Amino acid sequence: RMVSSPEYYEVCADAIAEVCEIFGYPRLFHLGLDEENEPNQKFRDMVIIRNQYLWWHDAYFFFSECEKHGARPWVWSDYCWDFKDVFIENMPKSVMQSNWFYREFFDYDPASRQAVYIGTYELLDSLGYDQIPGCSTWATVHNPGQTLAYCKEKLNPALLKGFLTIPWTYTHRESEFTLKNDAHRLYVGRQRHYPETL
């Protein structure tokens, strides 16, 4: 309940510094910055959504704190889906992008929301952003392979910095199959579309 307060900034700066130190000053630091909107929060008891200037103010604060410790800021690209023009105007090229899409890449309406999600890969590429696309078996086991195939065909390899698999399950024994299956599907996709990376 203290988002964007002086105490909030102090705690966030301390957390970023501590994480960087604990993990040996990593090259990348994922900040999230997704799901701060009404559809993702409408069932919560308390909703906090930073908007317009404040969202960007805080994003720049996080970016700066990461860079102080030699880490490149990294975010989900969801903001671009709904605020494309504002994103293009304000998102620094230094920030690594992870657009994501978890469903089938085929048989969708070109005017649908799916088209926006998928099209964001190409938009980011055309604007010169480095990307680490996100894939998952969360909705279909075919998604990792389809994601890699799409990126191989559509994206500039110089801007493509890897792939991220996102199983969205718990890291405990009961989820072992799901976790290994996600990793395996990504590996099979790499064998087929990016064998030079193995």
Side-chain angles (χ1 to χ4, degrees):
R1 301 190 184 201
M2 298 178 74
V3 171
S4 302
S5 67
E7 293 84 359
Y8 173 81
Y9 296 125
E10 184 178 346
V11 168
C12 290
D14 287 349
I16 290 170
E18 186 173 352
V19 168
C20 286
E21 181 181 355
I22 289 170
F23 287 95
Y25 298 96
R27 291 183 301 118
L28 294 166
F29 193 116
H30 204 303
L31 294 162
L33 296 184
D34 61 324
E35 298 189 359
E36 194 167 333
N37 54 37
E38 195 272 337
N40 281 294
Q41 297 194 32
K42 63 185 175 183
F43 298 114
R44 296 182 182 175
D45 292 335
M46 182 172 186
V47 174
I48 297 174
I49 300 172
R50 286 167 288 197
N51 203 11
Q52 299 177 38
Y53 169 78
L54 185 58
W55 192 94
W56 285 102
H57 172 273
D58 287 5
Y60 289 142
F61 170 78
F62 297 137
F63 300 162
S64 175
E65 290 302 311
C66 290
E67 290 163 352
K68 281 181 187 177
H69 303 285
R72 184 178 187 182
W74 180 11
V75 298
W76 299 118
S77 305
D78 303 31
Y79 192 95
C80 188
W81 299 343
D82 296 309
F83 306 104
K84 180 175 75 171
D85 293 339
V86 178
F87 178 96
I88 291 170
E89 183 179 343
N90 293 286
M91 183 61 73
K93 295 291 193 308
S94 59
V95 178
M96 180 70 74
Q97 298 295 313
S98 274
N99 188 48
W100 57 271
F101 177 69
Y102 303 152
R103 300 191 183 278
E104 296 279 349
F105 273 74
F106 309 106
D107 300 324
Y108 63 88
D109 180 351
S112 70
R113 190 78 172 151
Q114 280 184 274
V116 172
Y117 303 149
I118 295 170
T120 299
Y121 289 119
E122 288 185 72
L123 175 66
L124 293 170
D125 188 75
S126 71
L127 295 169
Y129 286 98
D130 288 339
Q131 293 189 68
I132 299 176
C135 58
S136 181
T137 60
W138 179 79
T140 170
V141 295
H142 304 295
N143 176 267
Q146 291 176 5
T147 299
L148 272 67
Y150 178 87
C151 292
K152 181 76 170 188
E153 179 183 346
K154 304 284 188 179
L155 303 186
N156 176 355
L159 298 174
L160 189 59
K161 303 304 179 182
F163 291 91
L164 177 67
T165 186
I166 311 149
W168 293 125
T169 191
Y170 298 102
T171 50
H172 55 57
R173 182 65 63 191
E174 293 167 6
S175 300
E176 183 177 3
F177 173 80
T178 302
L179 296 166
K180 287 182 175 179
N181 186 50
D182 238 51
H184 175 71
R185 291 286 179 165
L186 180 61
Y187 177 75
V188 169
R190 286 178 67 192
Q191 280 183 312
R192 182 170 182 185
H193 303 289
Y194 294 92
E196 69 278 10
T197 67
L198 298 172

